[in-house]
Amino acid sequence: MDKDSDSTVTSLDENTENFCTNPTRDILAEGITNLFKPTIEKLDERVASTIQLQSELRGQLDALAAQLRDIEKAQNQIPEFADKVKELLNVKHKVTIISNVLSNSQERLTGLHRLIEKEQRRRQALLDSALTTNIS
């Protein structure tokens, strides 16, 4: 093999130094971060809105179930209502499960958002220190 084609990086410190001072990689990473940040923020807002709406829906389903139970008791437990109440309770259960999934998703999105901001601050600090070093 040609000696020029072999890697000359022999230590982790040298490799890390090359990795940290790669402006193309930094620009590309910042571009990708900026590309995803608005989407994550919009998704986070929509998840929060959906969670709120599902909470309101859960409250309405509870009220409706209570009203149906009252009607059922008043009419000596007509079997048709008993089945509908069961269906309604099943729907309420599904809404609760979906709400939990959305809450977990929102928590993950919030964590991802924090990581993106942390990475941006780290990159800015690296860039600032590199500029300060180059200016000096």
Side-chain angles (χ1 to χ4, degrees):
M1 288 202 128
D2 186 13
K3 188 172 186 170
D4 292 334
S5 66
D6 292 338
S7 174
T8 59
V9 177
T10 58
S11 74
L12 182 60
D13 291 333
E14 290 176 11
N15 192 18
T16 304
E17 183 178 311
N18 289 340
F19 181 74
C20 290
T21 60
N22 185 342
T24 304
R25 180 194 52 83
D26 292 341
I27 291 169
L28 182 60
E30 185 175 339
I32 290 172
T33 300
N34 289 337
L35 179 69
F36 286 116
K37 187 175 180 178
T39 303
I40 290 172
E41 289 173 350
K42 184 182 279 187
L43 187 57
D44 190 38
E45 290 171 8
R46 288 182 180 172
V47 166
S49 173
T50 303
I51 289 171
Q52 179 185 356
L53 290 173
Q54 286 197 339
S55 177
E56 292 172 10
L57 178 60
R58 189 179 316 123
Q60 291 174 356
L61 288 172
D62 287 339
L64 182 58
Q67 288 175 354
L68 287 175
R69 280 191 216 109
D70 291 343
I71 291 171
E72 184 178 37
K73 287 177 185 176
Q75 295 184 353
N76 297 323
Q77 296 186 1
I78 297 174
E80 293 173 14
F81 276 127
D83 292 338
K84 297 300 178 187
V85 169
K86 287 178 187 176
E87 287 178 30
L88 186 61
L89 291 174
N90 286 336
V91 169
K92 178 186 169 197
H93 179 70
K94 289 177 184 178
V95 167
T96 302
I97 290 172
I98 291 171
S99 179
N100 290 339
V101 169
L102 285 172
S103 292
N104 290 337
S105 298
Q106 184 178 26
E107 288 172 9
R108 289 181 180 180
L109 283 172
T110 302
L112 184 58
H113 193 310
R114 274 191 238 118
L115 287 174
I116 287 171
E117 289 175 345
K118 181 180 176 183
E119 183 66 17
Q120 282 180 328
R121 286 190 302 271
R122 185 188 70 79
R123 290 182 189 281
Q124 188 63 42
L126 281 173
L127 182 61
D128 291 344
S129 68
L131 289 176
T132 304
T133 304
N134 288 340
I135 291 173
S136 300

